[in-house]
Amino acid sequence: MATGPAAADTLTEAMVAASESNPTLAAQRQRLNATREALPQAWAAALPQISVSGSASASDRDSDNPALEGDRTETWSSSANVSQLLFGSGRVVASTRAARAQIAGAVADYELASQTLLLDVTRAYADVRQAQAVVAARETTVSNLTRLFEYAQAQFDAGVVTRTDVAQSQARLAQARTQLVQAQGAMAAAVQAYQRLVGRPPSNLTPPATTPGLPSDLQTALDLSVDNSPVLISAMADTRLADANVDAAAAQGRMNVTLEAGSSIGADFDDDDSESTTDSVGVRVSIPIFQGGAIRSRTRAQRALRSASNLDLAAAQRGVQESVTNAWTGLASARAAVDSAREQVQAAELAYEGVTLEQETGLRSTVEVLDQEADLLAARIALAQAERDLVVAERQMLASVGILSIPSQSGGIIEDQDGLRGR
């Protein structure tokens, strides 16, 4: 099946396309929408509860004893009831706090999923570019080795070199062709990974621009992570949720005051004078006296969970600190690796040109030229790997502190049709 050319030629466009079409992120967005409904549900307990009901019935008594037989009766009735919570011992307040904490945690989880997707897209984008560079390097190697093999064969025919030189060239050429096929297979896999995330195949991927907003030093990165890391925000929301759950569990054992009112009307279908109406209004006060210890047990359980959530927060803080530090170290290493790899490629290209010229004058053997070609290929592959690692390391640094996003200057605007923020 033929596919049209991809429109995502830059990393920014790929990020926009993935954010708009990725089903995993869309599923997380719907989970967030579901969590947002916890707040209206918590509010509902503090609002009036109104219900209406109606019924109609017919009865006919039959008996062998004529004295017990009755006439057929057909009756109807309807009622309306209203109740309003007046005092719930903090139950509604606790459930509202819990709902807000759930929403804050869900927003943080969505932000984490979004940044994880952007980082995965970056990896896929960089992997495709690396695979393309490796394939190009191996194609160049195959071309160079083909020329060397033909040169060695001509030299052998002229009686200048031995058959060993021809065999060495032929073996290296066969190996290079095999490695080229393997590189093409790796590139096909990279393309499929990219298409899975972005939703369309890559086309003419340009080198990513320098990442804006990188921290200037490690301490700045650590300070940024405290306020922006979705992992920490989610962990702090969990502690607030656990604290609210403790209050909600304790409120179950306290006084509850409800205002209740009702009205009912009923009559016989065949007797208009039988209609009767009943109205009532009152206050219901309920205080649990003894529940077998269940309420106290649930409260103790929630307190234990609150302690666990505080410990989870401490663990998350340590994990984020480790992640940020490793990302900063990895970024510094990636920058140094790119500089070194570029120097290596320049030196290897110069050496290859020199060895090739020296071979033509008889100063270098065939195997020396073959070895230098291998060194040049290794340098080009190392440069492709280093450039890929730098692109990923820059975005990994931003993701570790929680500020990885689509560059605003791209012009790609993702409409927030689902209202992703909590109320």
Side-chain angles (χ1 to χ4, degrees), residues 115 210-226 228-229 320 323-332 335 390 392-405:
Q115 295 193 34
T210 303
T211 306
L214 287 172
S216 57
D217 53 63
L218 177 57
Q219 188 57 49
T220 301
L222 292 173
D223 294 340
L224 283 173
S225 68
V226 173
N228 297 282
S229 173
V320 169
S323 176
V324 172
T325 303
N326 291 340
W328 177 261
T329 304
L331 177 58
R335 287 169 173 168
L390 178 59
V392 174
E394 289 178 342
R395 277 75 183 179
Q396 179 69 60
M397 182 74 259
L398 295 180
S400 66
V401 300
I403 58 175
L404 178 60
S405 61

Side-chain angles (χ1 to χ4, degrees), residues 75-409:
T75 60
W76 61 271
S77 64
S78 62
S79 63
N81 297 280
V82 180
S83 64
Q84 172 64 57
L85 179 66
L86 299 180
F87 179 71
S89 297
R91 188 180 311 170
V92 175
V93 174
S95 62
T96 301
R97 286 168 47 212
R100 293 187 184 278
Q102 285 179 326
I103 294 173
V107 170
D109 291 341
Y110 175 79
E111 186 63 27
L112 178 61
S114 177
Q115 295 193 34
T116 300
L117 174 63
L118 296 182
L119 187 59
D120 289 342
V121 170
T122 300
R123 290 194 182 99
Y125 190 97
D127 287 344
V128 171
R129 282 186 48 81
Q130 178 192 6
Q132 291 173 341
V134 170
V135 168
R138 293 199 178 279
E139 287 176 343
T140 301
T141 297
V142 169
S143 177
N144 292 341
L145 291 178
T146 300
R147 188 165 55 253
L148 286 173
F149 171 69
E150 293 173 350
Y151 179 79
Q153 184 66 50
Q155 292 290 86
F156 173 74
D157 293 340
V160 178
V161 298
T162 65
R163 183 172 294 278
T164 301
D165 294 279
V166 177
Q168 288 174 334
S169 300
Q170 186 177 12
R172 293 289 183 92
L173 177 58
Q175 181 186 40
R177 286 172 175 168
T178 300
Q179 292 173 339
L180 174 59
V181 172
Q182 293 172 341
Q184 290 170 338
M187 184 174 68
V191 167
Q192 289 302 312
Y194 178 96
Q195 186 169 355
R196 173 178 59 84
L197 293 170
V198 179
R200 53 195 181 195
S203 175
N204 302 323
L205 302 186
T206 60
T210 303
T211 306
L214 287 172
S216 57
D217 53 63
L218 177 57
Q219 188 57 49
T220 301
L222 292 173
D223 294 340
L224 283 173
S225 68
V226 173
D227 297 326
N228 297 282
S229 173
V231 176
L232 289 183
I233 294 175
S234 178
M236 288 186 287
D238 288 341
T239 61
R240 296 197 300 272
L241 173 61
D243 188 64
N245 287 339
V246 171
D247 293 340
Q252 298 295 323
R254 298 171 185 158
M255 181 174 62
N256 203 53
V257 181
T258 306
L259 175 64
E260 298 179 345
S263 177
S264 62
I265 184 172
D268 193 317
F269 281 105
D270 298 328
D271 186 1
D272 295 337
D273 296 334
S274 65
E275 183 176 309
S276 62
T277 302
T278 302
D279 298 321
S280 63
V281 62
V283 176
R284 179 186 298 275
V285 179
S286 61
I287 304 176
I289 302 299
F290 180 70
Q291 302 294 330
I295 294 176
R296 289 183 178 272
S297 176
R298 284 194 289 267
T299 303
R300 290 195 301 269
Q302 293 300 328
R303 286 173 178 165
L305 292 176
R306 179 175 61 183
S307 299
S309 67
N310 289 329
L311 295 173
D312 289 339
L313 174 59
Q317 290 170 335
R318 294 183 182 184
V320 169
Q321 182 177 4
E322 178 188 13
S323 176
V324 172
T325 303
N326 291 340
W328 177 261
T329 304
L331 177 58
S333 300
R335 287 169 173 168
V338 168
D339 294 337
S340 298
R342 288 172 179 168
E343 293 180 3
Q344 182 183 359
V345 169
Q346 291 176 355
E349 288 176 345
L350 180 61
Y352 179 75
E353 292 176 1
V355 169
T356 302
L357 293 175
E358 292 170 1
Q359 181 197 28
E360 295 175 356
T361 59
L363 298 177
R364 297 287 183 175
S365 64
T366 301
V367 70
E368 288 178 304
V369 178
L370 293 174
D371 289 342
Q372 189 57 49
E373 172 62 36
D375 291 343
L376 177 57
L377 174 62
R380 287 171 173 167
I381 293 178
L383 177 58
Q385 180 69 50
E387 289 177 341
R388 179 264 179 201
D389 292 343
L390 178 59
V391 170
V392 174
E394 289 178 342
R395 277 75 183 179
Q396 179 69 60
M397 182 74 259
L398 295 180
S400 66
V401 300
I403 58 175
L404 178 60
S405 61
I406 301 173
S408 58
Q409 65 269 26

